[in-house]
Amino acid sequence: MKEYLNYIDGKWVPSKSGRTFENRNPANWDEIIGIFTKSTKEDVEEAVQSAKKAYKMWSKVPAPKRGEIMRRAAEILLERKEEVATLLAKENGKIMKEARGDVQEGIDTAFYAFGEGRRLFSFNTPSELPDKFALTFRMPVGVFAVITPWNFPIALPAWKIFPALLAGNTVVFKPPSDAPGCAYELVKILEEAGVPPGVINLVFGGGGEVGEALLTHSDIRGVAFTGSSEVGSRIAEVAGKHLKKISLELGGKNAQIVMDDANLELALEGAIWGAYATAGQRCTATSRIIVHEKVFDKFLEMFVERAKALKVGNPLDETTEMGPVINEAQRNKIHEYVEIGKKEGAKLILGGEPLKGGEYDKGWFYKPTVFIDVDPNMRIAQEEIFGPVVAFIKVKNLDEAIDVLNGTMYGLSSSIYTQDVNNAMRAIQRIEAGITYINGPTIGAECHLPFGGVKHTGNGHREGGWTVYEIFTEMKTVYIDFSGKLQKAQIDTWEEQG
Ligand code: NAP
């Protein structure tokens, strides 16, 4: 079995620890996809020093030239889309259609970065004094630690690494232990595309060891993290203490509102896709469905009928509609939440247990699950379950629907199905979330728009589009005085100076 190595200073090297860990297929736990080197603080040290050394050179390469390398990476990823998507489906459990989408998001982001190489716009503005220019430049930050979760193993590292490199930073990438294979492929593609040694470094290993070593390293200037709010909060504490630039993209408890005037067929398509894509393991997954009382019974019946008929199984089979969850611990966590829901008094009307028998016994499959009689304050309606579990909540009107939607500590994605333009506008205005879809599900972000959330979903940054460059650049303000004399801002007047 091939052993996958770290990538440090342009070389594929094993960890000094000599230890390894396995990457297994969640649909068939007997299948080992690869053996990966397990790194320590010492390996992190080498990777950071390599990135620090390369920064001097890379930060001086003109952005359009850095962009050309991103374009080559996009082209290679496009050529290998099917191969990478197949690996992704195997190690992450996403169905093929979604795995291709995950890779496509990486391709789109790389092409966007290529274009950004000829933009990286900043502002200039008039000075308050004569014969003086005032302008700004976007400068790179330095060495960035990129730490990502397993649920989008190509898209999420791509969202961070392409803009980070385009902006002139160098990177030490710590991928998730549960989906390290895609990280290897992505870095290999960057190497082939011509990224110079040291500019991207890859260190496999656990969050506690490799992750923590990055957070406290004095040569790491920024940390770009996507993952749970729990780990995000730890990162804010540890890296924040070391005064690093930190961007955090964290959990969600997203809801779809279905109004009494909604096109119910359309709302159904959206709700099923939002709730059960990636087996509910998306930060933007629909885990609450808030339905107007007038259409509640009808919509619930439609939903349960569709959810019951979902084909759950091997992600590589093109007819499969939902794959397994990532691992045993995740499946146990989902099941614990189902038990909590029952104890709290919610009524389980579909699923609520692992799938058993045949191929199901080999992997971590869980039945599409539906709860009704859910009080908005119950834990199953408040906490991120990260599985194929939805809570139906009945409401009397739009105001109540929005209050329920807003009533959690998270604020990532949201959706409303309505044919009434005023309902839609009120929802846009009142919903507390980073993203609101009108007549679309809570999932489906496009790479060229800002992505992120409010409240405990993050710390105010937005990935995606042009806003991600706020994370990966520092603004340099420049004043150019060509008056030939000392001009004092706020003190001299233009009449005196002119
Ligand atoms: P996680 O447990 O927080 O792990 C995320 C990453 O952090 C992994 O690489 C993990 O390493 C690492 N890590 C763990 N402990 C660490 C520490 N003390 N210091 C530094 N790094 C550490 O999240 P997950 O279970 O992989 O992913 C699911 C979560 O991600 C959900 O909450 C989901 O909502 C969120 N998510 C958010 C977004 C968004 O954009 N808002 C997108 C996708 C997912 P190991 O793998 O080695 O443990």
Side-chain angles (χ1 to χ4, degrees), residues 401-412:
I402 295 175
D403 285 345
V404 169
L405 186 147
N406 287 343
T408 76
M409 68 179 191
Y410 296 108
L412 182 50

Side-chain angles (χ1 to χ4, degrees), residues 31-50:
E31 183 186 341
I32 298 175
I33 298 167
I35 305 285
F36 288 73
T37 197
K38 194 170 185 187
S39 313
T40 61
K41 215 174 162 181
E42 264 185 294
D43 303 305
V44 169
E45 181 61 32
E46 281 196 1
V48 174
Q49 291 317 319
S50 143

Side-chain angles (χ1 to χ4, degrees), residues 341-342 345-350 370-374 378 380 390:
K342 287 197 277 191
K347 190 168 169 195
L348 177 70
I349 58 162
L350 186 71
V370 177
F371 274 106
I372 59 168
D373 295 347
V374 177
M378 287 177 179
I380 56 163
V390 277

Side-chain angles (χ1 to χ4, degrees), residues 149-211:
W150 48 266
N151 71 332
F152 277 89
I154 288 288
L156 291 180
W159 274 15
K160 300 180 195 315
I161 292 171
F162 287 117
L165 298 187
L166 186 278
N169 305 284
T170 56
V171 166
V172 179
F173 173 26
K174 190 242 131 348
S177 299
D178 281 307
C182 284
Y184 169 83
E185 294 300 331
L186 190 63
V187 171
K188 194 126 190 53
I189 285 169
L190 285 165
E191 180 189 35
E192 280 177 48
V195 172
V199 171
I200 174 81
N201 302 274
L202 172 65
V203 188
F204 293 110
E209 200 162 2
V210 173

Side-chain angles (χ1 to χ4, degrees), residues 147-152 156 159-160 174-179 205-215 225-232 234-235 238 248-252 281-284 326 330 333 384 386 410 412 451-453 457-458 463:
I147 305 176
T148 55
W150 48 266
N151 71 332
F152 277 89
L156 291 180
W159 274 15
K160 300 180 195 315
K174 190 242 131 348
S177 299
D178 281 307
E209 200 162 2
V210 173
E212 293 269 338
L214 286 166
L215 304 182
F225 172 81
T226 297
S228 60
S229 294
E230 194 188 348
V231 175
R234 164 97 191 139
I235 287 174
V238 179
L248 302 171
E249 299 285 347
L250 311 176
Q281 302 165 110
R282 291 190 182 211
C283 53
T284 51
I326 189 71
Q330 186 64 20
K333 180 185 158 198
E384 186 182 49
F386 228 53
Y410 296 108
L412 182 50
F451 182 95
T457 292
E463 294 195 324

Side-chain angles (χ1 to χ4, degrees), residues 203-488:
V203 188
F204 293 110
E209 200 162 2
V210 173
E212 293 269 338
L214 286 166
L215 304 182
T216 49
H217 200 294
S218 58
D219 289 322
I220 294 281
R221 291 304 324 137
V223 179
F225 172 81
T226 297
S228 60
S229 294
E230 194 188 348
V231 175
S233 163
R234 164 97 191 139
I235 287 174
E237 189 187 331
V238 179
K241 201 171 165 202
H242 289 77
L243 301 179
K244 301 191 189 308
K245 190 170 189 189
I246 307 165
S247 96
L248 302 171
E249 299 285 347
L250 311 176
K253 188 68 186 172
N254 317 288
Q256 173 179 318
I257 296 174
V258 181
M259 290 303 293
D260 52 343
D261 56 61
N263 174 337
L264 292 189
E265 284 298 335
L266 192 65
L268 175 66
E269 293 302 317
I272 292 284
W273 179 232
Y276 299 125
T278 320
Q281 302 165 110
R282 291 190 182 211
C283 53
T284 51
T286 309
S287 60
R288 296 176 297 155
I289 303 185
I290 303 168
V291 189
H292 193 286
E293 60 184 7
K294 282 193 192 149
V295 291
F296 187 90
D297 291 345
K298 183 166 182 215
F299 189 69
L300 178 67
E301 195 188 321
M302 289 162 74
F303 185 92
V304 169
E305 197 186 315
R306 275 293 302 279
K308 216 186 262 177
L310 277 177
K311 187 176 171 204
V312 184
N314 180 1
L316 299 180
D317 176 344
E318 297 285 349
T319 64
T320 298
E321 293 174 292
M322 191 177 100
V325 300
I326 189 71
N327 55 32
E328 188 177 15
Q330 186 64 20
R331 192 171 74 170
N332 290 344
K333 180 185 158 198
I334 293 164
H335 196 60
E336 273 166 32
Y337 269 107
V338 167
E339 293 303 321
I340 289 168
K342 287 197 277 191
K343 274 199 203 104
E344 282 182 313
K347 190 168 169 195
L348 177 70
I349 58 162
L350 186 71
E353 58 185 0
L355 277 150
K356 298 229 173 73
E359 67 166 330
Y360 295 136
D361 289 340
K362 293 187 165 183
W364 312 117
F365 296 93
Y366 203 84
K367 290 184 179 173
T369 297
V370 177
F371 274 106
I372 59 168
D373 295 347
V374 177
D375 182 279
N377 295 316
M378 287 177 179
R379 285 184 64 192
I380 56 163
Q382 288 288 324
E383 298 172 20
E384 186 182 49
I385 300 174
F386 228 53
V389 180
V390 277
F392 269 74
I393 301 172
K394 196 189 284 186
V395 290
K396 289 191 173 55
N397 53 41
L398 181 66
D399 277 345
E400 189 186 351
I402 295 175
D403 285 345
V404 169
L405 186 147
N406 287 343
T408 76
M409 68 179 191
Y410 296 108
L412 182 50
S413 189
S414 56
S415 149
I416 180 167
Y417 280 78
T418 178
Q419 305 283 6
D420 180 333
V421 68
N422 294 333
N423 282 344
M425 297 305 139
R426 280 191 195 107
I428 292 170
Q429 191 175 49
R430 281 204 49 214
I431 286 176
E432 294 167 1
I435 307 165
T436 297
Y437 292 89
I438 307 297
N439 293 322
T442 59
I443 64 177
E446 299 177 31
C447 86
H448 60 294
L449 280 120
F451 182 95
V454 302
K455 302 194 271 186
H456 283 206
T457 292
N459 64 341
H461 290 285
R462 290 290 180 273
E463 294 195 324
W466 63 96
T467 42
V468 73
Y469 291 92
E470 301 293 334
I471 298 170
F472 291 112
T473 58
E474 295 280 17
M475 202 57 99
K476 162 77 63 76
T477 302
V478 177
Y479 298 100
I480 305 169
D481 193 323
F482 51 97
S483 66
K485 52 192 165 196
L486 173 66
Q487 301 199 84
K488 300 188 274 320

